[in-house]
Amino acid sequence: MRIKRLVVWQVPLTSHVPYHMAGGKTCDTVTSILLRVDTDKNISGWGEVCPIPHYLPAYAEGVLPALEYLAPIAIGADPIGPEALMGRVDSWLQGHVYAKSALDLALWDITGKVAKLPLYALLGGRQMARIPLYQSITCIAPDEMAIIARGAQAEGMAQFQVKLGADNNWEADVARLRLVREAVGMGPLVYGDWNCGASRLEATRVGKAIATYDIMLEQPCATLEECAAVRAATGLPMKIDENAHDMASLLQAYDLGCMDAVALKLSKSGGLSATRRLRDLCLHLGPRMCIEDTWGSDVATGALLHLAASTPSSRIMNTCDLSGYVAPRLDPYAPARSGGRIAPPAGPGIGVNPDPEALGQPAAIIN
């Protein structure tokens, strides 16, 4: 079997509600890149990457040129066993892991289809029937965020990510965390996420003010050293996100003592191949894991759910149904949340089949 063609679509995904984060960052409509890798055996694989440039060093308009540059390596190559081809891809093009992520996902999809197995069977075996989700709450007025949390809890959600810092008001952030905790009661997991947008001083003040509310902090500052200082000053557990992208960064966070939990995101690391290696390192180091991606629709969500489902339940904190936050849905039959949990797709490979009408016309055909 050989790769004969790469087909690329650019699909705008619109959040159901504008998604406000620290530093004036807003996620409203963003471009997702869908990739279909076609083979000479009429088996195709799907990949997706949806970069948010102000969130991580990734640019949607950079994916197509990267794939065109990789065409001499990909076209004519054997897609089975993704890591072999991805190793050659990494040698041909340094960095640009977000663009490589879409290709890696598509190779895994093909491999699963050829093996006639769902990807979780190839990534470690199914460890969980349904994976716990978290509800991410856009940074708006504190009382409105509490209402959102209460509504999500009524639908079965038991983990809540509270976005902070959109108005540069540390006292408002204290209110956000306090009101959400009071809305959902003691027991559910509540954590406040600045997406690197807080200073060490601001994050420490917030942490000390809510120290009795059983709150976890997520990536308050731009560096691991600052995050470690906030954790030491507040005594609150911490989740690392933006700074966790490869083995070196995970080991550094572990050594600094600030990685009680960690977000492993496919496109942040370069796809399923790389993220699986980080998952396995975390099984050794000990942090609880959120296995997800930066943003996206049904293909990205389907892929990450397979990796989450193949991870021991004792080590999974949660996952994310990215496709549930945006429109359009690319596959109306793809998994959806129910009772605060979600199952991976059924069928071989990723198990997601995008609707051609939702995709529209391809942006490029590379052969």
Side-chain angles (χ1 to χ4, degrees):
M1 177 180 289
R2 300 291 167 181
I3 296 172
K4 68 176 183 179
R5 181 170 54 235
L6 309 178
V7 186
V8 180
W9 288 265
Q10 297 175 337
V11 180
L13 300 178
T14 300
S15 302
H16 296 311
V17 296
Y19 200 70
H20 302 296
M21 297 175 278
K25 301 173 183 177
T26 298
C27 186
D28 190 357
T29 298
V30 294
T31 300
S32 191
I33 306 300
L34 273 293
L35 169 66
R36 192 185 72 211
V37 175
D38 296 333
T39 70
D40 59 2
K41 300 299 184 183
N42 294 320
I43 295 177
S44 297
W46 288 95
E48 180 182 12
V49 62
C50 188
I52 304 175
H54 58 240
Y55 170 67
L56 287 171
Y59 183 52
E61 285 73 10
V63 178
L64 177 55
L67 292 173
E68 290 173 333
Y69 184 78
L70 291 171
I73 299 298
I75 304 299
D78 183 352
I80 306 301
E83 284 144 318
L85 177 52
M86 293 307 298
R88 296 195 293 275
V89 163
D90 287 337
S91 297
W92 186 260
L93 176 64
Q94 300 294 312
H96 301 278
V97 294
Y98 65 97
K100 296 172 182 175
S101 179
L103 177 60
D104 182 76
L105 266 57
L107 298 179
W108 275 102
D109 194 21
I110 293 171
T111 299
K113 289 174 179 176
V114 170
K116 299 181 180 180
L117 292 170
L119 285 191
Y120 60 72
L122 304 178
L123 295 169
R126 189 164 186 172
Q127 306 257 13
M128 304 180 69
R130 300 172 71 239
I131 311 126
L133 292 161
Y134 70 89
Q135 176 68 45
S136 186
I137 306 174
T138 180
C139 189
I140 51 179
D143 56 343
E144 294 179 51
M145 296 176 74
I147 292 171
I148 293 171
R150 195 176 296 113
Q153 186 182 40
E155 297 175 353
M157 301 296 285
Q159 302 189 43
F160 304 88
Q161 181 195 63
V162 181
K163 291 297 184 181
L164 303 174
D167 49 10
N168 295 312
N169 182 338
W170 76 273
E171 292 174 304
D173 288 336
V174 171
R176 290 178 174 107
L177 292 168
R178 178 178 59 81
L179 290 180
V180 168
R181 166 54 74 199
E182 291 173 352
V184 301
M186 298 303 292
L189 177 65
V190 175
Y191 50 105
D193 181 16
W194 283 274
N195 292 110
C196 299
S199 69
R200 176 176 168 180
L201 173 61
E202 292 166 340
T204 299
R205 294 180 81 181
V206 172
K208 285 183 173 293
I210 49 88
T212 61
Y213 280 85
D214 184 23
I215 302 290
M216 182 170 69
L217 305 181
E218 178 174 357
Q219 192 73 51
C221 306
T223 69
L224 287 174
E225 289 82 2
E226 291 172 302
C227 290
V230 171
R231 196 206 183 290
T234 63
L236 297 177
M238 184 164 294
K239 175 186 173 190
I240 297 299
D241 181 359
E242 285 86 345
N243 284 144
H245 54 85
D246 60 11
M247 288 193 177
S249 57
L250 291 180
L251 290 169
Q252 183 186 7
Y254 175 78
D255 288 341
L256 289 168
C258 61
M259 193 171 68
D260 300 287
V262 63
L264 303 182
K265 298 183 174 178
L266 303 184
S267 60
K268 186 171 62 174
S269 305
L272 279 167
S273 297
T275 310
R276 178 177 66 163
R277 292 192 289 270
L278 300 185
R279 185 271 309 267
D280 292 347
L281 176 61
C282 286
L283 292 178
H284 171 69
L285 296 178
R288 295 290 294 275
M289 288 173 271
C290 169
I291 295 180
E292 55 175 350
D293 207 345
T294 301
W295 208 238
S297 188
D298 293 300
V299 175
T301 299
L304 67 90
L305 292 179
H306 283 288
L307 184 60
S310 65
T311 302
S313 60
S314 62
R315 307 303 294 280
I316 279 283
M317 187 170 75
N318 52 41
T319 190
C320 187
D321 58 333
L322 295 171
S323 54
Y325 288 87
V326 299
R329 292 293 299 265
L330 302 182
D331 180 352
Y333 302 102
R337 67 169 64 179
S338 175
R341 291 179 174 263
I342 193 168
I350 294 176
V352 171
N353 300 291
D355 179 0
E357 290 189 8
L359 293 177
Q361 292 297 312
I365 299 174
I366 308 169
N367 50 29

